Amino acid sequence: MHSRLYYDQAIFEQELERIWYRSWVYVGHISEVPNRNDYVTKSIGPMPVLLVHDRTGQITLLLNKCPHRGNQLCAYREGNRSTFTCPYHAWTFSNTGELAGFAYADGYEGVDKSEFSLGRVPRVGIYRGFVFGSLANDGPSLDEYLGGAKASIDQLLDNSPEGELELTAGFLQHRTKANWKFMLENETDGYHPGFVHSSVFQVTDSGIGKLYGPQSTALTRDFGNGHTEFDLRPEWRRLGEPLAWFGTTEDRLPDYVKAMETSYGAERARQILIDGSPHIMIFPNLFIAEIQMFVLQPLAVNETIQHVTALQFKGAPDFNRRLRQQTMGSVGPAGFLLADDTEMYERNHRGALISDPEWLTLSRGLHRERHDENGYLIGHSTDEVPQRGIWRHYARLMTA
């Protein structure tokens, strides 16, 4: 890849038009708007949108812009309301998007209110509670777009006794002075943890570092469409110990284990507890990292916000408490892991501006790529299979 791909303003603007405003993009989760008239402010790239559970019971995505003079319609992060009133001139809109009324309506006699509805995201797709939006009027269905990545979402939700996720822990926002693609590449990069995070592994006396070494049986995978995975299941299955992926044992979470066995049966529950939660990047912005979830929001060519929350599984209160604690330790304001990665992102961005060498390489493991039983490209845990998959998809979208 040429270094300009990370810092060129014109390329960034093309990315917004050809990727963020044309592809499917993860927006939010239905558990964030559980009741009618609930809403939460979200975004598609830098574009603000409202994720709404409207008065009719539908999940919709409205553009957060008053069609009168373009003012930001809603400034609150979340709430419950059946209408939105613009703070500038008090135009009021139903949460289904229609204009309900003008302030001082005598100045608008004979005007057709239907001409002034809120903009909306034309296509909304939901897979097992995950809400995606596409600003394109047509294109592949969400099912076609997710492809093999759906299996990882299914694996995630298997960790709930009720098969559902509840994002109730709140979001941290981490602002990084770097291009969004550095984060996209890094999330399923198994080559860096043994070096970037070595001090964390030493301080916590963790064996996780060994999972990212030459002897690891873990895999990297390219699902296609830019979706990539770091698959640790071969290591967990080799150990054969339930909840080893979470760094604990069954006796520490007896209520959770019992609930899982009640829901799935003892044998299936044991396998789920061995396999654990996935480590997957769904292009272009949704990263699920075993115990937490990241959503990337590019603000500028050199500025990105990572929205982070602890995963919370329906029907597992004791497990959820520990998930929140571990998330704060890794990506909280004083967390270890995110601080390491953020330093690398910003150093990468500064390095991209250096003119020599112009070209960067992603050739690790190219000679040993192979296909798994489902036809997806896989490689060793330290190979750059995911990064090559990301850039192949990126090139298709940018040159289509």
Side-chain angles (χ1 to χ4, degrees), residues 197-207 209 329 336 340:
H197 304 306
S198 60
S199 60
V200 177
F201 298 149
Q202 292 170 10
V203 168
T204 58
D205 193 26
S206 171
F336 297 117
D340 288 344

Side-chain angles (χ1 to χ4, degrees), residues 5-23:
L5 290 166
Y6 298 101
Y7 67 80
D8 188 284
Q9 178 64 29
I11 291 175
F12 177 72
E13 291 172 4
Q14 290 178 28
E15 290 170 353
L16 294 181
E17 293 299 325
R18 300 180 185 183
I19 296 175
W20 292 91
Y21 299 160
R22 192 175 295 176
S23 301

Side-chain angles (χ1 to χ4, degrees), residues 13-147:
E13 291 172 4
Q14 290 178 28
E15 290 170 353
L16 294 181
E17 293 299 325
R18 300 180 185 183
I19 296 175
W20 292 91
Y21 299 160
R22 192 175 295 176
S23 301
W24 287 104
V25 176
Y26 172 75
V27 178
H29 194 271
I30 60 172
S31 63
E32 297 178 80
V33 286
N35 307 304
R36 289 199 182 198
N37 299 325
D38 282 350
Y39 73 91
V40 61
T41 54
K42 294 290 185 176
S43 67
I44 293 180
M47 182 181 294
V49 300
L50 295 168
L51 171 59
V52 181
H53 186 162
D54 70 27
R55 59 173 67 185
T56 70
Q58 298 298 308
I59 300 295
T60 60
L61 297 174
L62 302 175
L63 303 186
N64 195 3
K65 174 184 180 180
C66 178
H68 174 216
R69 300 276 286 278
N71 203 270
Q72 180 184 355
L73 182 64
C74 180
Y76 298 100
R77 200 189 76 81
E78 60 185 357
N80 180 282
R81 58 193 310 162
S82 60
T83 61
F84 297 100
T85 299
C86 180
Y88 195 11
H89 297 101
W91 283 28
T92 299
F93 301 85
S94 164
N95 66 7
T96 56
E98 293 79 18
L99 177 62
F102 304 105
Y104 307 152
D106 60 302
Y108 292 103
E109 292 177 1
V111 172
D112 183 359
K113 289 190 292 186
S114 68
E115 296 179 1
F116 298 98
S117 296
L118 297 178
R120 63 175 61 241
V121 176
R123 293 197 297 157
V124 179
I126 302 176
Y127 183 73
R128 300 200 65 178
F130 289 82
V131 182
F132 294 79
S134 172
L135 289 163
N137 288 312
D138 51 32
S141 68
L142 178 61
D143 190 70
E144 292 170 322
Y145 179 72
L146 290 176

